[in-house]
């Protein structure tokens, strides 16, 4: 299988699409003899016959049909690979787990587009600890807790208040703010993979009961139903207003640090510009 080359797959697809060796040679910009040699090399490497050739038509064999279909997928994947490797200066994907950069999200997108029209910005929601960075789904990531993975570097770009999410008919919803001690005895819904709140936020003798959820929509649904509470960064309230759920500041809880994360050995060329813009938005907004 190591003998199979992309040029051979392109040749096979061209012959099938064009209907003849002559037309395939024109489409590929090579000689008809080169097309014949390339196809023969592919058939030899695979050990099967791929095409039936007569004086007037060329048609795939049954095996050839399957190989052509797979060849199209391989060539498409190769094109995506090239795009991923070469688009670093023209595309920027920023991952986030729950809530991007909260109330600054729209301003960030608009100001980025105005200042950097040649770099397309895409915000990508990936509910993992690295917000998609480790998975290759993004180039930079907004995270709200430290990353222990030493492959990544991070920098704090801002701070957000910590809020309590409560059902709208809960007695605490009538308060302007709440304290951690008032949440003791409640069921606390958390996302252990990406959430910013753990029982350790409370003293050991007054921690709430913890239940686990796996997505912000599920989290909001159980809270709206009165099945418990949530404690989250302020950005969640900005990005996810939900009927039946109110957010109240937790006045004695430490704020949440908002971090930008990147690959230590391969930072995106736009890293510094993103750091500066996000830091400015949090500082002035």
């Amino acid at each position: 299988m190591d003998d199979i080359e992309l040029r051979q797959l392109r040749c096979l697809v061209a012959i099938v699409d064009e209907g003849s060796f002559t037309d395939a040679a024109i489409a590929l910009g090579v000689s008809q003899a080169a097309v014949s040699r390339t196809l023969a090399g592919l058939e030899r490497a695979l050990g099967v016959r791929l095409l039936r050739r007569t004086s007037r038509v060329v048609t795939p064999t049954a095996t050839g049909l399957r190989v052509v279909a797979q060849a199209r997928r391989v060539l498409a994947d190769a094109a995506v690979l090239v795009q991923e490797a070469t688009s670093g200066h023209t595309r920027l994907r920023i991952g986030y787990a729950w809530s991007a950069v909260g109330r600054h999200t729209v301003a960030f997108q608009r100001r980025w587009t105005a200042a950097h029209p040649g770099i397309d910005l895409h915000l990508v929601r990936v509910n993992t600890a690295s917000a998609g960075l480790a998975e290759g789904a993004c180039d930079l990531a907004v995270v709200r807790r430290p990353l222990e993975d030493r492959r990544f570097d991070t920098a704090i770009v801002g701070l957000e208040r910590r809020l309590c999410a409560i059902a709208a008919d809960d007695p605490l919803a009538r308060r302007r703010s709440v304290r951690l001690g008032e949440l003791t005895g409640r069921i606390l819904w958390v996302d252990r993979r990406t959430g910013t709140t753990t029982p350790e936020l409370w003293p050991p003798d007054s921690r709430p009961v913890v239940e686990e959820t796996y997505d912000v929509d599920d989290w909001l649904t159980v809270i709206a139903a009165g099945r418990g509470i949530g404690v989250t960064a302020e950005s969640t309230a900005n990005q996810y207003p939900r009927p039946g759920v109110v957010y109240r500041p937790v006045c004695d809880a430490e704020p949440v640090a908002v971090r930008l994360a990147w690959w230590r050995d391969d930072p995106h060329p736009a890293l510094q510009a993103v750091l500066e813009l996000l830091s400015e938005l949090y500082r002035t907004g």
Side-chain angles (χ1 to χ4, degrees), residues 62-144:
T63 299
L65 285 172
R66 296 194 298 272
V67 172
V68 167
Q70 188 63 40
R72 293 188 194 279
R73 288 192 287 270
V74 171
L75 292 171
D77 287 344
V80 171
L81 183 150
V82 172
Q83 174 68 17
E84 289 290 335
T86 59
S87 65
H89 294 274
T90 61
R91 184 177 65 160
L92 173 61
R93 302 167 302 166
I94 299 182
Y96 66 95
W98 273 35
S99 52
V101 287
R103 70 179 185 276
H104 306 299
T105 301
V106 172
F108 173 60
Q109 293 176 96
R110 290 181 178 274
R111 289 183 57 176
W112 181 268
T113 299
H116 306 277
I119 304 177
D120 291 332
L121 173 65
H122 301 272
L123 299 183
V124 184
R125 182 167 173 255
V126 184
N127 200 40
T128 66
S130 69
L133 202 56
E135 295 77 15
C138 60
D139 308 300
L140 305 172
V142 174
V143 296
R144 288 178 170 79

Side-chain angles (χ1 to χ4, degrees), residues 5-282:
E5 301 176 9
L6 290 179
R7 67 181 182 85
Q8 294 173 319
L9 300 181
R10 290 192 189 96
C11 180
L12 173 64
V13 170
I15 295 169
V16 173
D17 287 348
E18 300 299 328
S20 72
F21 281 61
T22 301
D23 291 338
I26 294 171
L28 294 171
V30 298
S31 68
Q32 184 174 334
V35 169
S36 297
R37 287 195 302 271
T38 301
L39 178 69
L42 178 59
E43 290 182 324
R44 189 164 51 251
L46 293 175
V48 295
R49 187 178 180 187
L50 300 174
L51 300 177
R52 295 188 186 91
R53 284 150 279 187
T54 69
S55 59
R56 290 195 287 181
V57 296
V58 176
T59 58
T61 63
T63 299
L65 285 172
R66 296 194 298 272
V67 172
V68 167
Q70 188 63 40
R72 293 188 194 279
R73 288 192 287 270
V74 171
L75 292 171
D77 287 344
V80 171
L81 183 150
V82 172
Q83 174 68 17
E84 289 290 335
T86 59
S87 65
H89 294 274
T90 61
R91 184 177 65 160
L92 173 61
R93 302 167 302 166
I94 299 182
Y96 66 95
W98 273 35
S99 52
V101 287
R103 70 179 185 276
H104 306 299
T105 301
V106 172
F108 173 60
Q109 293 176 96
R110 290 181 178 274
R111 289 183 57 176
W112 181 268
T113 299
H116 306 277
I119 304 177
D120 291 332
L121 173 65
H122 301 272
L123 299 183
V124 184
R125 182 167 173 255
V126 184
N127 200 40
T128 66
S130 69
L133 202 56
E135 295 77 15
C138 60
D139 308 300
L140 305 172
V142 174
V143 296
R144 288 178 170 79
R145 63 183 189 183
L147 290 180
E148 298 178 358
D149 194 323
R150 296 181 62 84
R151 295 176 298 171
F152 307 128
D153 274 337
T154 65
I156 295 176
V157 295
L159 299 175
E160 294 175 348
R161 294 184 302 168
R162 206 178 290 263
L163 306 183
C164 180
I166 320 164
D169 58 356
D170 189 293
L172 288 179
R174 297 193 292 268
R175 303 274 299 277
R176 297 184 64 179
S177 65
V178 299
R179 292 183 171 275
L180 288 171
E182 296 175 295
L183 307 179
T184 301
R186 298 293 190 105
I187 296 176
L188 175 70
W189 289 89
V190 302
D191 183 337
R192 297 185 189 276
R193 296 171 301 170
T194 62
T196 58
T197 300
T198 68
E200 286 68 33
L201 193 62
W202 285 261
D205 58 347
S206 59
R207 288 173 179 168
V209 177
V210 172
E211 293 284 353
E212 190 167 2
T213 187
Y214 302 98
D215 185 83
V216 63
D217 286 321
D218 296 337
W219 182 80
L220 289 165
T221 297
V222 295
I223 292 171
R227 294 172 53 193
I229 62 166
V231 175
T232 186
E234 185 176 2
S235 56
T236 305
N238 297 128
Q239 197 139 335
Y240 294 101
R242 175 68 65 90
V245 175
V246 298
Y247 297 90
R248 295 292 180 261
V250 184
C251 58
D252 58 343
E254 62 184 15
V256 176
V258 182
R259 294 174 169 85
L260 188 68
W262 62 91
W263 284 91
R264 175 173 295 172
D265 62 353
D266 189 21
H268 191 279
L271 169 62
Q272 191 58 39
V274 175
L275 280 172
E276 291 174 0
L277 179 53
L278 287 179
S279 297
E280 179 186 351
L281 287 169
Y282 272 97

